[in-house]
Amino acid sequence: MNFFKKNGAGLLLCLLIAIPSWLLGKAVPVVGGPVFSILIGMIVTLILTDKTVFSPGINFTSKKILQTAVVFLGFGMNLTEILAKGKQSLPIILSTITTSLVIAFIMYKILHINSNSAVLVGVGSSICGGSAIAATAPVIRADDEEIAQSISVIFLFNVIAALVFPSLGAALGLTNEGFGLFAGTAINDTSSVTAAATAWDGIHASNTLEAAAIVKMTRTLAIIPITLVLAIYKSRKSKNTEGSSFSLKRAFPMFVLFFVLASVVTTIFHLPAGVTAPLKELSKFLIIMAMSAIGLNTNIVKLVRTGMKPILTGFCCWIGIAFVSLMMQHILGIW
């Protein structure tokens, strides 16, 4: 009862933003519910002059609800099926992820941008957009404005990729298989991968959507090692700066462990789509709800004023990933 008394108002506000955002995301998938919820949240917070009664629930949603969403995401991942179908793409995926993270680090050094923003843009660009940012943000203790900024950057290049890549693929003479790999490795959000592959199928009367989706799901598996490495790095850094002892148990985020367990359960017990599909949908909705809280905690004026460096970082990651994806296809003899 005390929990709802303390957090109820903020939870309800986030829910009221999340529902229309979820519906808008369904209507305009290339934009997606998380982007709508952040935008609505930022607008609402300009109107609310006093958020005192809402703050506890908003903060709970942006942290705990976000972590819960990542756990439910694991139920949509049958590890055996994904690896069996996506193993051909593994060399390309590993190359593009490495490229994005290296570029993000270089841009962090050159532009002197916030380290958390660089990590989130690098991870979001290379793995799976909003889901990767949702999983990584609590591990590196990113604040809400850093999360909102990175989501906005990823969204921008998602939309461009969904619109440009089908024509680019045709101009380059990609095969159907080649475009499926290109879309699955070089576009970071599922909705934009789907949009680009669907557009390609419509033009070429092909069936690349399934292949692109499998490649995209294979990329999502990288959430597990990336979050673990970042957790260990962050814990060791805290040890050096604060003098606290390093503990693997403390470094490993429990919600990532539950995400892995959910994936293992789905894999071992071969959970049917009738079970996993609603859990995946719940995960998406909870991410949208968490993004509404992040929007409510974000100063839109400050976000716009400080946004050019993260956008430039995202652009460089995006170009680097696309180039390496095509180059690896050429080396492997796929294209």
Side-chain angles (χ1 to χ4, degrees), residues 53-197:
V53 69
F54 300 104
S55 289
I58 291 172
N59 293 332
F60 178 86
T61 303
S62 70
K63 293 175 175 61
K64 298 301 181 182
I65 296 293
L66 184 61
Q67 293 176 17
T68 303
V70 174
V71 174
F72 282 116
L73 185 68
F75 286 107
M77 302 180 67
N78 186 311
L79 305 179
T80 304
E81 290 182 9
I82 291 171
L83 290 175
K85 295 178 181 178
K87 61 185 178 182
Q88 180 193 27
S89 62
L90 280 175
I92 302 174
I93 290 170
L94 292 173
S95 299
T96 53
I97 289 174
T98 302
T99 298
S100 181
L101 295 177
V102 168
I103 290 174
F105 178 75
I106 292 171
M107 298 302 288
Y108 157 69
K109 288 292 188 180
I110 293 174
L111 299 178
H112 305 290
I113 64 174
N114 181 284
S115 61
N116 283 348
S117 295
V119 170
L120 292 177
V121 170
V123 169
S125 298
S126 61
I127 301 177
C128 54
S131 298
I133 291 170
T136 305
V139 173
I140 64 173
R141 298 165 201 162
D143 63 35
D144 290 343
E145 288 191 354
E146 291 164 347
I147 298 170
Q149 195 166 60
S150 59
I151 289 280
S152 301
V153 169
I154 297 304
F155 154 71
L156 173 63
F157 296 109
N158 269 339
V159 173
I160 296 173
L163 296 174
V164 171
F165 276 21
S167 299
L168 176 62
L172 292 172
L174 289 180
T175 63
N176 292 332
E177 180 187 11
F179 186 78
L181 283 167
F182 181 48
T185 53
I187 305 176
N188 51 56
D189 188 78
T190 303
S191 60
S192 294
V193 170
T194 301

Side-chain angles (χ1 to χ4, degrees), residues 96 99-100 103 125-126 185-186 316-326:
T96 53
T99 298
S100 181
I103 290 174
S125 298
S126 61
T185 53
C316 291
C317 288
W318 182 61
I319 294 296
I321 289 169
F323 175 77
V324 169
S325 175
L326 293 170

Side-chain angles (χ1 to χ4, degrees), residues 219-240:
R219 282 170 66 194
T220 305
L221 294 178
I223 287 176
I224 299 168
I226 289 291
T227 50
L228 177 57
V229 169
L230 286 172
I232 293 172
Y233 170 76
K234 203 74 176 178
S235 184
R236 287 190 181 279
K237 190 175 180 180
S238 297
K239 173 192 173 184
N240 294 334

Side-chain angles (χ1 to χ4, degrees), residues 31-42:
V31 177
V35 174
F36 281 118
S37 61
I38 286 176
L39 291 174
I40 295 172
M42 288 192 294

